[in-house]
Amino acid sequence: MVICDHSHFMEYALREARTAFDELEIPIGAVVVKDGRIIGRGHNRMEMLKDATAHAEIMAITSAAEIIGDWRLEDCLLYSTIEPCAMCAGAAVLSRIKTIVYGAKDSRFGACGSIFEIPTEKRLNHRIEVISGVMEKESLELIQLFFQEIRKKRRRKMSKYKVDINRILIRPLYYGLLMNIFVPVLVLGAVYYFDHSGAGDTLQPGGDLNYMFWALLAVAIVDGVIAIAFKQKRFFMPMIRSQETFAEDLAKGVFSESLICYALSGAIAIYGLVFYLMGGNFLSLFLFVFISFIAFQFVRPRYGFLEKVLAAQEKMADEGRFLQSRN
């Protein structure tokens, strides 16, 4: 019978969540109930208000406080379709909410048992009864449907020229891992073995290595900056030869430009090897390889970056700006 009563008010919270869905907000809804009457309603409005605190529970608590003219919501129940986060659970404690009733658990941010247990924390001056699992299936299905729709819209947006960004990323990523991770690590391993096997005793430092180290380090940093600047410029220049070959040309362009970026960032590790062969030590080589790793993380194309590249290439193709126009 209790579950039935809670389901009645949770249905109103779900209505708020559906409103959020229609507004393209993450569909979470909440209501505040006192004496069997709803005194506060709210749904996610983060995107609309550009406010990270505009969660459904906060909106409902604020609405209820305005209705009764008091921030103390004693003997009130807070219904939320999803387990409240730390901020919302904290607001419920401060508002003296009597009971929190929620639908589906939130394994990432839930603060009513999933990650934290703020409502029942004994060190706080107010504790809240927590009831979970009320209309859990309906609450979870609405969230899942929302993100499915988001993914469909993204795929529709990206499918004008039938481009699969993940497939485009695979080949450059493999070559990047080979050039900037696998080979430098092999070099480090070989040098480490060379140092500890005694064969390195024949190397004689030549000249002033201190000046040489700082000179090569400066060149390495400049090299990394050039690689990053190259990525930001070249990927947004025309890569497409014709609309009919859009996907193929994009894949080739991304691959060729990525190789240049990888060569620039990989050269940093080569500077370290050169310094080592001139008489430097293993730690100096390790520093150059580490800087190379960092540069690689900045220059390698990622999914979000390629979405922007794709949008730019589509725009240029629609405007008739093709690769041969640069000649």
Side-chain angles (χ1 to χ4, degrees):
M1 182 64 182
V2 174
I3 293 296
C4 181
D5 291 339
H6 289 320
S7 297
H8 170 73
F9 291 111
M10 187 62 76
E11 179 57 44
Y12 285 95
L14 277 167
R15 292 181 186 179
E16 291 292 323
R18 294 185 187 104
T19 300
F21 188 104
D22 294 337
E23 295 175 358
L24 302 182
E25 301 273 0
I26 296 178
I28 301 175
V31 296
V32 175
V33 175
K34 184 173 184 179
D35 298 329
R37 182 172 64 92
I38 295 176
I39 61 171
R41 305 169 186 262
H43 56 270
N44 258 0
R45 303 189 71 191
M46 291 174 59
E47 299 299 331
M48 181 178 295
L49 299 179
K50 309 300 180 187
D51 183 356
T53 68
H55 288 197
E57 299 91 334
I58 299 295
M59 307 302 288
I61 288 173
T62 301
S63 174
E66 291 177 354
I67 290 295
I68 67 173
D70 193 348
W71 60 266
R72 300 175 184 84
L73 301 179
E74 297 172 344
D75 298 322
C76 290
L77 290 81
L78 172 63
Y79 290 82
S80 178
T81 56
I82 301 295
E83 180 182 0
C85 67
M87 175 184 69
C88 297
V93 171
L94 293 174
S95 301
R96 307 296 192 267
I97 292 287
K98 178 183 178 181
T99 305
I100 291 177
V101 183
Y102 71 84
K105 290 183 176 296
D106 185 347
S107 59
R108 295 181 61 198
F109 301 107
C112 296
S114 291
I115 299 179
F116 306 109
E117 296 186 6
I118 291 177
T120 57
E121 173 56 55
K122 294 181 180 179
R123 290 171 292 183
L124 298 177
N125 65 348
H126 178 71
R127 282 170 288 283
I128 301 175
E129 176 190 13
V130 176
I131 300 174
S132 63
V134 178
M135 301 190 73
E136 178 180 11
K137 180 181 178 182
E138 294 84 348
S139 301
L140 192 58
E141 285 178 348
L142 189 59
I143 287 282
Q144 292 172 340
L145 178 61
F146 175 78
F147 286 108
Q148 287 172 5
E149 290 297 320
I150 291 294
R151 286 191 288 270
K152 287 179 181 178
K153 288 179 181 179
R154 177 176 293 180
R155 282 195 290 268
R156 285 196 295 268
K157 181 181 178 182
M158 296 295 120
S159 65
K160 180 177 180 180
Y161 291 99
K162 298 182 179 180
V163 173
D164 187 340
I165 292 180
N166 287 317
R167 290 178 63 87
I168 292 177
L169 277 173
I170 290 175
R171 191 181 178 203
L173 178 61
Y174 284 158
Y175 275 79
L177 292 174
L178 176 65
M179 296 171 62
N180 293 101
I181 302 294
F182 185 70
V183 172
V185 167
L186 279 181
V187 171
L188 277 177
V191 168
Y192 183 83
Y193 173 79
F194 187 73
D195 268 357
H196 288 74
S197 66
D201 294 341
T202 58
L203 284 175
Q204 297 296 325
D208 193 334
L209 287 179
N210 189 47
Y211 286 119
M212 183 59 66
F213 171 80
W214 289 109
L216 285 174
L217 185 61
V219 172
I221 294 174
V222 171
D223 201 333
V225 172
I226 292 175
I228 295 172
F230 179 91
K231 172 190 173 184
Q232 295 300 324
K233 180 179 180 180
R234 291 294 297 239
F235 277 83
F236 294 95
M237 296 178 69
M239 296 180 180
I240 312 304
R241 297 183 182 277
S242 68
Q243 292 184 343
E244 291 74 17
T245 59
F246 185 96
E248 180 183 353
D249 292 340
L250 181 63
K252 289 180 179 178
V254 169
F255 178 69
S256 61
E257 303 297 354
S258 296
L259 286 185
I260 298 175
C261 290
Y262 297 155
L264 288 169
S265 59
I268 298 174
I270 295 176
Y271 300 151
L273 180 60
V274 170
F275 181 73
Y276 173 81
L277 295 175
M278 294 176 64
N281 56 36
F282 175 79
L283 288 179
S284 298
L285 173 60
F286 180 84
L287 175 62
F288 279 92
V289 171
F290 180 74
I291 295 174
S292 175
F293 288 170
I294 298 299
F296 171 65
Q297 295 303 318
F298 279 100
V299 301
R300 72 181 182 91
R302 301 173 187 269
Y303 192 96
F305 176 77
L306 280 192
E307 284 184 328
K308 297 178 182 177
V309 172
L310 176 56
Q313 296 297 329
E314 284 185 346
K315 182 179 179 181
M316 286 186 283
D318 292 341
E319 294 173 351
R321 296 165 57 196
F322 296 107
L323 181 60
Q324 58 267 29
S325 65
R326 291 189 294 173
N327 296 330

